[in-house]
């Protein structure tokens, strides 16, 4: 079986898991987010920066993530607390962008700081995944969650297709040697078109601000992918894990999604999109 066939089969299985969680409603999606966060923390701490599972920082990071996810969802479920978390997540991601653009590849400053303070990794993923929880807790959560996934995975699919078919000039080969300029542009255009159509028919609103927000999110999604690629290269691993055949780990598959989640939540609070019921 070829790698492409493995990727397709794995993608279908992941889609089925998401569809089942989606049909189970908010509880199903919360459970999926909780399990996703546990895998993400384990991959980054144990597989990438080599923090042992019995290490205090690992245990503290994992327990604090689970406790705070449950606390935010079931005990203190209010928009003010959610907004504090996802705005913090957006600020954290801006710090990651500084690392991405300004730290040299042979530098170990960021990795050393991450290892030394690895107990905060659970909180980092908390801010991203509670951004999705915030959307799930909106009245129109169904279409809004689907729109976020459409934006993210259409840019990934478009970049892969246009990059393989028309790509020649690399964007940043020292960080991610397979990504091309044509792939990036094609992915962004495809995502803007598909997501705009989705917003118009299923969200019930489309204007230039929404289109600009979608375009900005497509750029951020690709930067989130670059961020993980640089992190992997600096720690010397090819994939965050081998959990998903053809894709690598959970983080490899949703690196751009967890990166854009806080920005998507911020966009929603400012655009206040109305919606029609999802099917």
């Amino acid at each position: 079986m070829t790698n492409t066939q493995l990727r397709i089969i794995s993608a279908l299985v992941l889609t089925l898991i998401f569809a089942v969680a989606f049909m189970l409603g908010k509880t199903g999606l919360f459970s999926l987010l909780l399990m996703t966060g546990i895998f993400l923390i384990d991959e980054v701490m144990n597989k990438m920066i080599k923090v042992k599972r019995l290490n205090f920082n690992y245990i503290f990071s994992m327990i604090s993530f689970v406790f705070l996810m449950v606390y935010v969802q079931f005990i203190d479920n209010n928009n003010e607390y959610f907004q504090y978390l996802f705005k913090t997540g957006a600020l954290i991601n801006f710090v990651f962008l500084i690392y991405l653009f300004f730290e040299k590849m042979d530098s170990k400053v960021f990795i050393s700081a991450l290892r030394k303070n690895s107990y905060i990794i659970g909180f980092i993923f908390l801010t991203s995944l509670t951004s999705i929880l915030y959307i799930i807790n909106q009245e129109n959560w169904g279409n809004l969650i689907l729109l976020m996934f459409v934006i993210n995975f259409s840019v990934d699919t478009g970049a892969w297709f246009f990059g393989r078919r028309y790509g020649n000039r690399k964007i940043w080969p020292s960080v991610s040697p397979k990504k091309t300029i044509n792939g990036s542009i094609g992915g962004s255009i495809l995502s803007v078109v598909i997501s705009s159509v989705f917003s118009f028919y299923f969200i019930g609103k489309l204007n230039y601000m929404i289109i600009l927000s979608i375009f900005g999110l497509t750029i951020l999604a690709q930067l989130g992918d670059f961020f993980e690629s640089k992190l992997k290269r600096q720690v010397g691993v090819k994939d965050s894990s081998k959990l998903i055949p053809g894709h690598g780990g959970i983080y490899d598959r949703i690196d751009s999604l967890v990166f854009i989640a806080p920005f998507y939540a911020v966009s929603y609070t400012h655009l206040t999109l109305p919606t029609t019921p999802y099917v």
Side-chain angles (χ1 to χ4, degrees):
M1 186 176 294
T2 67
N3 186 65
T4 300
Q5 290 173 326
L6 277 175
R7 286 178 64 88
I8 292 172
I9 292 172
S10 296
L12 291 174
V13 172
L14 292 174
T15 302
L16 178 62
I17 292 173
F18 171 76
V20 171
F22 187 87
M23 288 187 292
L24 290 174
K26 296 180 180 181
T27 301
L29 285 176
F30 170 79
S31 301
L32 181 60
L33 284 175
L34 187 65
M35 291 304 301
T36 298
I38 290 171
F39 279 114
L40 288 172
I41 294 168
D42 180 72
E43 287 180 355
V44 173
M45 296 190 75
N46 184 252
K47 300 294 194 298
M48 296 176 71
I49 63 173
K50 309 301 181 183
V51 177
K52 294 181 180 180
R53 291 192 175 102
L54 294 180
N55 182 281
F56 171 80
N57 284 2
Y58 180 97
I59 296 172
F60 177 83
S61 190
M62 192 69 76
I63 292 177
S64 62
F65 168 78
V66 173
F67 172 78
L68 289 171
M69 282 284 286
V70 173
Y71 179 81
V72 170
Q73 178 65 8
F74 296 109
I75 300 175
D76 190 17
N77 186 339
N78 65 78
N79 284 346
E80 183 179 354
Y81 192 62
F82 273 126
Q83 291 189 34
Y84 170 79
L85 283 171
F86 67 68
K87 288 177 181 178
T88 301
L91 290 175
I92 291 173
N93 285 347
F94 276 122
V95 173
F96 289 164
L97 290 179
I98 293 172
Y99 152 75
L100 174 63
F101 286 111
F102 296 105
E103 181 169 279
K104 294 180 180 180
M105 186 61 74
D106 59 356
S107 173
K108 299 297 181 182
V109 173
F110 181 78
I111 300 302
S112 297
L114 200 59
R115 286 195 176 111
K116 185 177 181 180
N117 302 284
S118 56
Y119 57 87
I120 69 170
I121 290 176
F123 179 76
I124 290 171
F125 283 118
L126 176 78
T127 59
S128 289
L129 296 183
T130 51
S131 303
I132 302 175
L133 273 184
Y134 171 73
I135 299 299
I136 291 173
N137 281 281
Q138 303 306 304
E139 183 179 356
N140 49 359
W141 65 272
N143 286 326
L144 293 171
I145 287 292
L146 291 178
L147 176 59
M148 182 173 63
F149 275 79
V150 167
I151 292 170
N152 182 77
F153 293 121
S154 60
V155 72
D156 278 352
T157 302
W160 177 81
F161 174 79
F162 287 104
R164 284 175 63 92
R165 191 170 183 85
Y166 305 108
N168 45 28
R169 297 180 60 186
K170 306 297 183 182
I171 298 178
W172 203 345
S174 63
V175 174
S176 186
K178 293 183 179 180
K179 291 181 175 58
T180 65
I181 294 175
N182 288 345
S184 177
I185 295 173
S188 291
I189 292 173
L190 180 67
S191 182
V192 168
V193 171
I194 294 176
S195 303
S196 296
V197 171
F198 184 93
S199 179
F200 180 77
Y201 283 103
F202 295 98
I203 302 296
K205 187 175 182 180
L206 183 66
N207 54 43
Y208 77 94
M209 284 300 299
I210 294 174
I211 294 173
L212 286 176
S213 295
I214 292 172
F215 176 72
L217 289 168
T218 68
I219 301 301
L220 289 167
Q222 295 179 74
L223 291 176
D225 201 349
F226 275 114
F227 169 77
E228 197 225 0
S229 294
K230 183 171 183 176
L231 188 63
K232 288 191 297 184
R233 284 189 172 275
Q234 287 197 317
V235 299
V237 299
K238 183 178 183 294
D239 299 313
S240 61
S241 75
K242 299 185 182 300
L243 181 65
I244 309 173
H247 291 271
I250 293 289
Y251 193 27
D252 295 315
R253 190 66 193 94
I254 63 170
D255 51 1
S256 53
L257 181 66
V258 296
F259 193 83
I260 69 168
F263 299 108
Y264 183 83
V266 170
S267 298
Y268 170 75
T269 60
H270 287 84
L271 294 174
T272 317
L273 299 176
T275 182
T276 54
Y278 67 92
V279 178

